[in-house]
Amino acid sequence: MKTKFFTIAMLLCLLPMGSAWAQERCHYSRQDSILVEQLLASGHTDVLFYARKFLGRPYVAHTLELYPDDERLVLNTDELDCTTYVDVVAALTLCARRGETRFSQFVHQLRQQRYWDGKCTDYTSRIHYFSDWIRDNSRLGYAQEIQQPNPPFTAVQTVSVSYMSKHPQSYVSLDRHPEYRPVIAAQEKDLSGKKFRYIPTAEVKNTETLRKAVHDGDIICIVTSADGLDIAHLGIAVWHEDGLHMIDASSLQKKVVEENITMRQYLERRKNALGIRIVRLQ
């Protein structure tokens, strides 16, 4: 049976001797690299173009956890969860907007987005909470969180994260490496207390105000009241005639879908959902 993925040794063999990129810690399949270069060769720079290319892909959680003892940048375009879906779509869009068409450039972008300072070293070097993803990618100029006007951004989230450090048994790397736990706890402490404006569920209406505030292709971040967490789910904004919808890797539908219910209806069906934060790629 053929393995789907390249090993690191195989990856290094495919790259020019002395290539700096050849030294990076990366895991992907040949199909992944072919798909990425085909998409980037299209010349499209619109978020929704890339978001819709993954419709129907299976929802699979924990695809990044292949190396709990030896962190590597993992790319899997065949199986996606809500975070990896948004991460891949964002990386494709940002590369396309710079005119970058090579797979190596895409991998570099994905690594910059996903890891602190773009350095994949161990599990703690990965950005785990999406509020930190927003902060770091905003610092790098890749994204901007939209928090005005008011309305519809009438609510404020004061972040209080602690879930990972309080539930290390739920994360294979933290369970096997107790030395990582204080680092994660310190990252949580640094993020906690930060305040961000968001659109509460009651304001997610099919109005001109909301249509001006939220654009097609924006990243939708569902604010949660769940203890120790900041964001419960992610998707890509898309406007329909009846209102705001979302394209997302759905754990309920087990695949990437363009939701057939409005964002308001989606939020009202989830007891811990408070509203949405909005992030725009630059």
Side-chain angles (χ1 to χ4, degrees), residues 115-175:
Y115 290 93
W116 296 107
D117 298 319
K119 296 177 182 177
C120 174
T121 56
D122 62 29
Y123 183 72
T124 66
S125 69
R126 195 194 316 165
I127 299 173
H128 295 285
Y129 289 97
F130 203 74
S131 290
D132 270 335
W133 189 100
I134 297 169
R135 287 202 301 161
D136 200 56
N137 280 272
S138 296
R139 177 183 66 83
L140 294 170
Y142 299 145
Q144 177 188 8
E145 181 159 14
I146 308 302
Q147 301 186 69
Q148 294 292 338
N150 178 6
F153 291 89
T154 60
V156 176
Q157 178 189 31
T158 301
V159 172
S160 178
V161 290
S162 59
Y163 191 88
M164 293 181 70
S165 60
K166 288 183 177 178
H167 302 86
Q169 69 280 0
S170 299
Y171 303 88
V172 61
S173 290
L174 293 183
D175 192 41

Side-chain angles (χ1 to χ4, degrees), residues 70-116:
D70 182 27
E71 179 76 11
R72 302 176 190 180
L73 186 146
V74 174
L75 171 64
N76 182 350
T77 60
D78 288 334
E79 300 169 330
L80 300 158
D81 63 23
C82 71
T83 303
T84 57
Y85 169 65
V86 166
D87 217 15
V88 167
V89 170
L92 285 166
T93 303
L94 291 167
C95 283
R97 289 177 177 176
R98 293 194 297 264
E100 297 174 351
T101 59
R102 298 198 304 274
F103 182 65
S104 60
Q105 293 171 314
F106 168 83
V107 169
H108 174 77
Q109 176 62 44
L110 190 63
R111 188 173 60 252
Q112 292 294 116
Q113 291 173 198
R114 189 178 291 173
Y115 290 93
W116 296 107

Side-chain angles (χ1 to χ4, degrees), residues 190-210:
D190 181 66
L191 177 58
S192 294
K194 300 291 190 298
K195 297 179 184 293
F196 305 97
R197 298 198 70 84
Y198 70 94
I199 305 170
T201 299
E203 294 289 339
V204 183
K205 300 177 286 190
N206 190 13
T207 62
E208 183 179 355
T209 298
L210 193 70

